[in-house]
């Protein structure tokens, strides 16, 4: 157990860590970089398809837009008298607000909030964003506590992060349920072009699966923290590694939010 | 093998063993973390406000993409601690992402042309 031959090697030949981090963390960074490329392709592809269609404001006549503003925005979306016997989506189709020839405005599509029928555009998805940002903070607090070797704090913040992850997944399930309930499928879309629904399910589904994987990884690491594995190992770097993954999931959501709900 | 020896120093750079070596971890405090949280929250609220304040169009979209990149930068630099990492790692992560910015510009221009063709 005397001196290793390794240490005499130059830095770039395996003598030292050239990036000054452990190999596991370095590989996590490079995995995330490749995952960033995957998500970039999906999101930029979505952006390209979206911009190849005209927007609602360009295609819907001005008097219809005024009608929508006065009848939809201040009132309830479902069962409102302005829609007569038709539902919200069907009325919008009849008015030409939703049509296959142009991209729908996101505030007309994502306007539901649990427990109310009011027209609340983008409010639910903002809540989802808030939940994910908050779980990112608890994750980074767990990492910070790990750096100080405070097992109890790591435990607490890891648990909060897992709860946040489940809350986000629940929100996404509800969002999908509403969207599917109104008739959106992979190959049909009452709100506009079919590619809109197809890419929505593909990209938010791919992101949601990342969140799910992140929650599973967090639970595994949380159980290891409980068992004292990292206390014995002498460092909490595994918490840092899953932390990197979890923050990346939050980062991707920033762009899913931007592209699908704002643009 | 070093990792079979229980007394091995996992931080030892002279006796470097890539299977166990980790740099010494030290906390940078929680102040910057909470600051970043409030910043991300504020930028998200600004996003929603701008959605209703600004007229739909390219300038609004570009504003959203820039705000998104700012949020992403804060997540990567503060939450993922990239700002405390070695310069070589920073460059390895940040430089390849410039290609993505180029991809955005390229495909938006292309999509504008698809629109023009009225496919």
């Amino acid at each position: 157990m005397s001196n290793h031959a390794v240490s005499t090697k130059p830095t770039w030949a395996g003598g030292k860590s050239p990036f000054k981090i452990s190999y596991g963390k370095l590989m996590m960074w490079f995995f995330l970089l490749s995952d960033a490329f995957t998500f970039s392709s999906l999101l930029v592809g979505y952006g390209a398809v979206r911009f190849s269609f005209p927007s609602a404001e360009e295609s819907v006549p001005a008097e219809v837009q005024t009608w929508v503003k006065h009848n939809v925005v201040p009132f309830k979306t479902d069962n409102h008298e302005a829609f007569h016997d038709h539902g919200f989506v069907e009325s919008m189709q009849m008015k030409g607000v939703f049509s296959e020839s142009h991209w729908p405005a996101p505030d007309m599509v994502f306007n539901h909030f649990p427990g109310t029928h009011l027209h609340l555009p983008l409010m639910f998805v903002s809540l989802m964003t808030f939940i994910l940002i908050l779980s990112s903070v608890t994750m980074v607090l767990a990492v910070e506590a790990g750096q100080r070797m405070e097992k109890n704090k790591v435990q607490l913040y890891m648990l909060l992060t897992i709860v946040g992850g489940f809350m986000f997944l629940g929100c996404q399930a509800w969002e999908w349920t509403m969207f599917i309930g109104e008739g959106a499928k992979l190959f049909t879309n009452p709100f506009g072009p079919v590619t809109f629904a197809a890419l929505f399910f593909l990209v938010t589904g791919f992101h949601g699966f990342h969140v799910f994987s992140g929650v599973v990884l967090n639970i595994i690491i949380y159980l290891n923290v409980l068992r004292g594995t990292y206390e014995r190992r002498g460092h909490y770097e595994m918490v840092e590694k899953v932390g990197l993954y979890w923050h990346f999931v939050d980062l991707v959501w920033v762009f899913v939010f931007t592209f699908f709900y704002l643009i | 093998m070093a990792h079979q020896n229980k007394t091995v120093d996992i931080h030892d750079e002279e006796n470097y063993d890539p299977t166990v070596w980790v740099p010494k971890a030290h906390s940078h405090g929680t102040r910057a973390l909470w600051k970043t949280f409030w910043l991300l929250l504020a930028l998200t609220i600004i996003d929603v406000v701008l959605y209703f304040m600004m007229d739909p169009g390219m300038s609004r979209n570009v504003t959203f993409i820039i705000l998104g990149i700012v949020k992403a930068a804060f997540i990567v630099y503060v939450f993922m601690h990239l700002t405390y990492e070695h310069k070589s790692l920073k460059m390895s992560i940040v430089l390849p992402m410039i290609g993505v910015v180029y991809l955005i510009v390229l495909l938006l221009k292309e999509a504008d042309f698809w629109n023009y063709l009225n496919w």
Side-chain angles (χ1 to χ4, degrees):
Chain A
M1 220 18 262
S2 58
N3 275 351
H4 267 232
V6 206
S7 59
T8 57
K9 286 183 185 170
T11 304
W12 287 100
K16 261 177 201 168
S17 169
F19 295 101
K20 304 253 188 271
I21 56 173
S22 68
Y23 80 98
K25 210 165 134 185
L26 183 63
M27 289 306 114
M28 179 54 96
W29 268 111
F30 285 149
F31 161 68
L32 294 180
L33 184 64
S34 72
D35 219 15
F37 288 146
T38 311
F39 273 109
S40 304
S41 319
L42 287 171
L43 286 169
V44 178
Y46 172 85
V49 174
R50 191 253 169 275
F51 285 123
S52 70
F53 281 91
S55 299
E57 324 66 71
E58 298 158 19
S59 312
V60 180
E63 65 264 25
V64 175
Q65 288 185 44
T66 318
W67 182 90
V68 168
K69 227 174 225 166
H70 283 91
N71 289 285
V72 180
V73 176
F75 298 117
K76 294 179 176 207
T77 49
D78 295 317
N79 309 320
H80 184 251
E81 54 179 21
F83 308 140
H84 303 291
D85 299 329
H86 310 286
F88 170 73
V89 177
E90 207 182 325
S91 301
M92 289 299 131
Q93 284 174 339
M94 286 158 69
K95 287 273 173 194
V97 177
F98 294 153
S99 141
E100 274 192 32
S101 60
H102 65 254
W103 214 260
D107 60 310
M108 297 301 285
V109 182
F110 306 104
N111 57 1
H112 301 288
F113 202 88
T116 169
H117 288 288
L118 289 172
H119 174 78
L120 291 170
L122 304 183
M123 286 306 125
F124 187 62
V125 73
S126 304
L127 178 72
M128 286 169 74
T129 309
F130 176 71
I131 290 170
L132 209 56
I133 293 174
L134 206 57
S135 83
S136 243
V137 174
T138 55
M139 182 79 240
V140 80
L141 289 174
V143 171
E144 198 269 337
Q147 288 165 339
R148 290 184 285 108
M149 299 294 289
E150 264 196 59
K151 190 186 164 195
N152 290 340
K153 284 273 177 68
V154 181
Q155 246 168 263
L156 171 72
Y157 288 128
M158 282 300 289
L159 187 65
L160 288 175
T161 309
I162 293 164
V163 170
F166 275 121
M167 279 168 77
F168 182 84
L169 285 173
C171 287
Q172 194 149 41
W174 191 83
E175 179 93 336
W176 274 41
T177 309
M178 294 312 285
F179 200 43
I180 295 168
E182 287 179 319
K185 308 270 151 57
L186 264 181
F187 302 108
T188 46
N189 181 13
F191 298 96
V194 177
T195 36
F196 170 55
L199 282 168
F200 177 84
F201 287 121
L202 178 72
V203 179
T204 61
F206 197 53
H207 175 265
F209 186 68
H210 272 74
V211 178
F212 174 76
S213 318
V215 170
V216 171
L217 290 173
N218 281 348
I219 289 173
I220 293 170
I221 300 305
Y222 174 65
L223 292 177
N224 276 340
V225 172
L226 289 185
R227 290 170 60 194
T229 307
Y230 307 125
E231 204 69 28
R232 279 193 299 278
R233 197 175 285 179
H235 59 87
Y236 279 85
E237 214 193 45
M238 280 311 289
V239 178
E240 276 184 55
K241 286 178 209 163
V242 287
L244 285 177
Y245 180 77
W246 191 252
H247 296 310
F248 175 74
V249 167
D250 183 26
L251 188 155
V252 170
W253 178 254
V254 163
F255 288 103
V256 172
F257 174 67
T258 303
F259 277 80
F260 280 89
Y261 296 93
L262 296 175
I263 284 178
Chain B
M1 291 297 286
H3 59 272
Q4 285 164 343
N5 187 339
K6 293 268 188 272
T7 57
V8 68
D9 182 4
I10 51 174
H11 305 304
D12 189 357
E13 287 205 28
E14 293 311 309
N15 225 342
Y16 178 73
D17 179 351
T19 57
V20 291
W21 185 82
V22 282
K24 267 202 178 68
H26 39 88
S27 163
H28 299 275
T30 55
R31 224 185 138 87
L33 309 178
W34 283 109
K35 261 190 191 167
T36 307
F37 165 73
W38 290 114
L39 191 98
L40 291 175
L41 191 62
L43 286 177
T44 305
I45 292 169
I46 288 171
D47 266 338
V48 177
V49 170
L50 285 183
Y51 181 89
F52 295 105
M53 298 283 285
M54 284 176 82
D55 287 329
M58 213 28 149
S59 59
R60 191 179 75 172
N61 295 332
V62 170
T63 311
F64 287 147
I65 292 175
I66 291 172
L67 281 175
I69 291 173
V70 171
K71 281 188 265 182
F74 272 96
I75 292 173
V76 172
Y77 276 94
V78 183
F79 283 176
M80 294 167 89
H81 296 301
L82 191 63
T83 180
Y84 308 118
E85 302 290 1
H86 196 259
K87 196 180 174 187
S88 57
L89 180 63
K90 276 185 198 166
M91 291 299 116
S92 310
I93 302 300
V94 176
L95 290 182
M97 292 313 289
I98 292 172
V100 174
V101 176
Y102 179 54
L103 182 69
I104 295 175
V105 175
L106 205 66
L107 267 184
L108 290 194
K109 185 80 192 145
E110 175 70 13
D112 205 34
F113 188 65
W114 298 343
N115 191 3
Y116 173 73
L117 288 175
N118 269 331
W119 69 311

